Amino acid sequence: MSTGRDPGLQPERTRLAWRRTLLTVTVVTALAVRLASTGDPTGALIAGGTILVWGALLVLCWPRGTGTGPARTGGRTLPLVAVGTVVLALLGVLLVLRGLG
């Protein structure tokens, strides 16, 4: 019996999952900027907040998505990404409510 750990394809699946997360956040940011580009100052603020959250998530997810190094957050990446996702969802709700008003 072998005592070594065989990770198989798990590292590749993990990298692909982080890349999908980055791609999803990028698409959501692009859509938010597009929706907010009507010239309204409120929309511009919401789009700016979306871009800031996108940048933070990019910094958090890039090392894991590319496999170029360990995450710099000491194991707190997943909760921070979850908080960023909730913030993006709230910004999206604000955009929709602004568009309906």
Side-chain angles (χ1 to χ4, degrees):
M1 258 188 163
S2 175
T3 60
R5 182 176 174 270
D6 180 19
L9 295 176
Q10 186 269 329
E12 183 178 359
R13 286 192 306 268
T14 300
R15 280 193 304 276
L16 290 173
W18 283 105
R19 286 181 187 173
R20 282 191 305 270
T21 301
L22 281 173
L23 178 62
T24 302
V25 169
T26 302
V27 169
V28 167
T29 301
L31 289 173
V33 169
R34 182 172 177 241
L35 284 173
S37 65
T38 60
D40 181 27
T42 305
L45 286 173
I46 294 171
T50 303
I51 291 171
L52 288 175
V53 172
W54 172 77
L57 290 176
L58 184 67
V59 168
L60 288 172
C61 296
W62 188 261
R64 291 186 179 232
T66 59
T68 57
R72 293 179 287 255
T73 57
R76 295 183 305 259
T77 302
L78 193 56
L80 290 173
V81 170
V83 167
T85 302
V86 169
V87 169
L88 282 177
L90 291 174
L91 289 170
V93 168
L94 286 175
L95 278 174
V96 169
L97 292 176
R98 185 189 64 86
L100 294 176

